[in-house]
Amino acid sequence: MSNANNLLEPSRLRLRGSGGIELAADQFGPVDGPLVVFLHGGGQTRHSWKQTGARLGASGMRVVTLDARGHGDSQWAPDRDYRRDTMVRDLLLVLEQLGAPAVVVGASMGGITGLLATVVPGGEAITALVLVDIVTRPEPEGVARVIDFLGKHRDGFDSLDQAADAVAEYMPHRPRPENTDGLLRNLRERDGRWYWHWDPGMLGDRVEDAAAMTEQMEAAAQVLTIPVLLVRGMRSDVVSAEGAEAFQRLVPHAQLVEIGGAAHTAAGDDNDSFTDAVAKFVLETRE
């Protein structure tokens, strides 16, 4: 197998988060390439970034896609500690272990983590930030729809087809795939039923105040000096055009890329356009 092909297949990393929790990650590309760390959204896994990771890795970047605590192959928090500040500590510990400054790309939950990490000790390791369909003031109805979907089906599914139907209902802008094998990355079989591969306690014990969170995010955004890219799905119900404009007033130097036809799950809705935008931004930050 050629070296180029090797870059398309990730190597597995085992990392340590806050409190010693074990975190799983995939690494694409050469270990001496510019580091780009990807953080997925709530209820997703590192596999959300697989195609992007392979492409960027093949272009010479060192890409690490991380499973957040309680998601994918990372350990579930024994004390159900999924607070934002705890996830920020996870990220900073991961960056310390990777041993290089990084561009952080975060979708939704991951974007909030990346933004908040920039203003705490250790956050200087983040040299640039990509926010994927998340701003400091997201649309409440869109956020509620996401949380509602994540809170459903805690008792699992009878079959992969049933899970595919649930996803298709949640994302009507995407055609329902005939082959459901892709869902195996996000589901696990237990006692004859299929369950989402994340800890439902992530939602059940969350008591964070939305207004306080907005205040914390805006305080972080206002002092950003590193390069920032906001990627918005033009069909998103979480980040509106007005929300994007408000964010750019907070962060005047932020670039904005809007992906037509994409919704809140912008990276998966139009992966080529998303990957092109991220690659261009990362290369610009290296100049």
Side-chain angles (χ1 to χ4, degrees), residues 1-10:
M1 183 178 291
S2 70
N3 289 335
N5 285 336
N6 284 335
L7 296 178
L8 298 176
E9 292 300 324

Side-chain angles (χ1 to χ4, degrees), residues 10-241:
S11 57
R12 176 68 66 86
L13 299 180
R14 276 293 176 187
L15 301 165
R16 186 189 71 259
S18 179
I21 197 167
E22 291 187 2
L23 303 174
D26 283 339
Q27 181 170 266
F28 301 81
V31 294
D32 58 350
L35 178 60
V36 187
V37 175
F38 283 80
L39 310 176
H40 60 74
Q44 297 180 322
T45 71
R46 69 189 189 281
H47 298 298
S48 301
W49 310 111
K50 184 176 182 179
Q51 290 178 307
T52 298
R55 281 187 57 193
L56 296 183
S59 74
M61 299 179 194
R62 178 191 180 194
V63 176
V64 174
T65 59
L66 181 71
D67 274 341
R69 59 172 52 215
H71 292 71
D73 294 312
S74 287
Q75 185 181 0
W76 289 13
D79 53 0
R80 291 190 171 183
D81 182 1
Y82 297 106
R83 292 172 298 172
R84 300 294 189 195
D85 291 346
T86 303
M87 290 190 173
V88 166
R89 289 195 294 273
D90 286 345
L91 172 59
L92 296 179
L93 283 168
V94 164
L95 294 178
E96 183 180 313
Q97 290 162 79
L98 294 175
V103 177
V104 170
V105 182
S108 198
M109 178 187 79
I112 295 172
T113 300
L115 173 60
L116 297 181
T118 62
V119 292
V120 297
E124 61 274 7
I126 301 174
T127 59
L129 181 66
V130 180
L131 300 175
V132 185
D133 215 67
I134 187 65
V135 289
T136 54
R137 290 183 179 268
E139 299 300 314
E141 291 182 1
V143 173
R145 194 175 75 89
V146 173
I147 293 175
D148 178 66
F149 174 74
L150 293 177
K152 287 181 178 178
H153 312 296
R154 296 192 185 200
D155 58 347
F157 301 95
D158 294 330
S159 65
L160 291 177
D161 278 332
Q162 191 177 78
D165 289 340
V167 173
E169 181 181 359
Y170 173 62
M171 296 190 292
H173 62 286
R174 284 196 199 179
R176 183 191 186 281
E178 294 183 9
N179 189 330
T180 58
D181 288 350
L183 285 173
L184 293 172
R185 295 192 297 265
N186 295 83
L187 293 162
R188 291 294 183 270
E189 188 176 16
R190 188 169 69 250
D191 300 325
R193 292 183 66 76
W194 294 92
Y195 296 85
W196 295 124
H197 201 29
W198 55 275
D199 184 359
M202 181 186 71
L203 290 177
D205 293 345
R206 180 170 291 177
V207 293
E208 292 172 324
D209 180 78
M213 177 56 62
T214 295
E215 183 177 343
Q216 187 180 7
M217 290 172 64
E218 290 192 336
Q222 286 174 329
V223 296
L224 281 171
T225 57
I226 59 175
V228 178
L229 172 66
L230 171 61
V231 180
R232 172 182 173 259
M234 293 185 71
R235 298 180 64 176
S236 173
D237 60 352
V238 173
V239 177
S240 64

